[in-house]
Amino acid sequence: AQSVTQPDIHITVSEGASLELRCNYSYGATPYLFWYVQSPGQGLQLLLKYFSGDTLVQGIKGFEAEFKRSQSSFNLRKPSVHWSDAAEYFCAGGGNTGKLIFGQGTTLQVKP
Amino acid sequence: DAGVIQSPRHEVTEMGQEVTLRCKPISGHDYLFWYRQTMMRGLELLIYFNNNVPIDDSGMPEDRFSAKMPNASFSTLKIQPSEPRDSAVYFCASSFASDTQYFGPGTRLTVL
């Protein structure tokens, strides 16, 4: 069955530190992959997406993600976290059906 | 573009009442999705439409829930009768083909 897994439910990092949020997928073929961010009381906002081509994808707010087929992973990274990055992050996978499968989400807390 | 528009933003009702949530997708998008988000169950896909036709309603909890899309610019999600366990944030999202889903701000439903 198709699935997207975010192993970390909650992560705390210090402001200015680097960040990596993990995402693993299980699909028959290479899925379309997305990272979304949700601030409290808000809807989900797209950070970046991967469809094909270059496996290192740049997104908004200084985020990037790398698609690694051998590891079935699409981890999100940021070199230096800001307090405003505190939010919930969702990884999602999809295909030609248009439907997305979302991970459980990772809540990021940023310490001053 | 105004993005995905949802109304109302907040709804408080009493158990047994009918609730109707509304969504206006982004113009030109051919997919529309309804999600429910709770602390316990995370983000759940309830139903989605392609070109106004329901494609997959397997996520609809039970017969009390129904969704319609009478035209390309409007969809409703109805709960009748509502129950306290229906309290959640309901999101509408739209996309073009299998590309990025754009989310609305959500409707926070409280059933007393």
Side-chain angles (χ1 to χ4, degrees):
Chain A
Q2 298 172 339
S3 67
V4 173
T5 304
Q6 294 178 246
D8 305 307
I9 296 174
H10 191 106
I11 282 184
T12 300
V13 300
S14 297
E15 189 168 18
S18 63
L19 171 71
E20 182 168 28
L21 302 182
R22 295 184 292 164
C23 173
N24 296 103
Y25 65 88
S26 175
Y27 270 78
T30 299
Y32 305 150
L33 294 164
F34 305 81
W35 274 100
Y36 285 85
V37 61
Q38 183 181 29
S39 297
Q42 305 294 316
L44 279 70
Q45 180 186 18
L46 179 73
L47 283 175
L48 48 79
K49 62 184 178 183
Y50 172 78
F51 277 26
S52 65
D54 193 346
T55 56
L56 185 62
V57 180
Q58 301 297 320
I60 63 172
K61 305 184 181 187
F63 285 93
E64 67 178 26
E66 185 170 13
F67 170 67
K68 292 185 177 180
R69 185 190 305 275
S70 62
Q71 299 177 20
S72 297
S73 69
F74 187 58
N75 294 348
L76 182 71
R77 301 193 295 246
K78 186 169 185 178
S80 177
V81 169
H82 188 262
W83 63 267
S84 60
D85 293 324
E88 188 160 19
Y89 292 80
F90 292 92
C91 182
N96 292 330
T97 65
K99 177 178 174 179
L100 288 182
I101 296 175
F102 281 85
Q104 293 302 103
T106 298
T107 299
L108 173 64
Q109 183 179 0
V110 180
K111 292 190 302 184
Chain B
D1 198 323
V4 175
I5 298 172
Q6 291 186 247
S7 64
R9 292 293 310 277
H10 302 273
E11 177 81 29
V12 180
T13 190
E14 293 189 345
M15 183 174 63
Q17 296 299 305
E18 177 179 293
V19 175
T20 299
L21 311 182
R22 297 172 175 79
C23 176
K24 177 178 170 57
I26 293 172
S27 177
H29 283 189
D30 56 351
Y31 281 86
L32 184 138
F33 305 82
W34 282 103
Y35 292 88
R36 179 173 68 176
Q37 186 178 40
T38 61
M39 289 291 292
M40 291 297 293
R41 301 175 68 90
L43 192 63
E44 304 173 275
L45 176 65
L46 299 177
I47 184 171
Y48 75 100
F49 296 82
N50 179 221
N51 292 322
N52 313 336
V53 176
I55 302 301
D56 183 351
D57 66 354
S58 60
M60 296 286 262
E62 48 199 272
D63 292 346
R64 296 185 298 105
F65 285 69
S66 63
K68 294 182 179 180
M69 191 165 187
N71 58 62
S73 58
F74 184 66
S75 177
T76 59
L77 178 68
K78 186 174 294 186
I79 308 172
Q80 166 64 15
S82 58
E83 296 183 2
R85 59 191 168 126
D86 302 330
S87 297
V89 180
Y90 291 81
F91 289 103
C92 176
S94 71
S95 71
F96 176 70
S98 301
D99 210 321
T100 305
Q101 288 186 21
Y102 292 88
F103 282 74
T107 295
R108 181 173 296 278
L109 173 65
T110 303
V111 183
L112 303 174

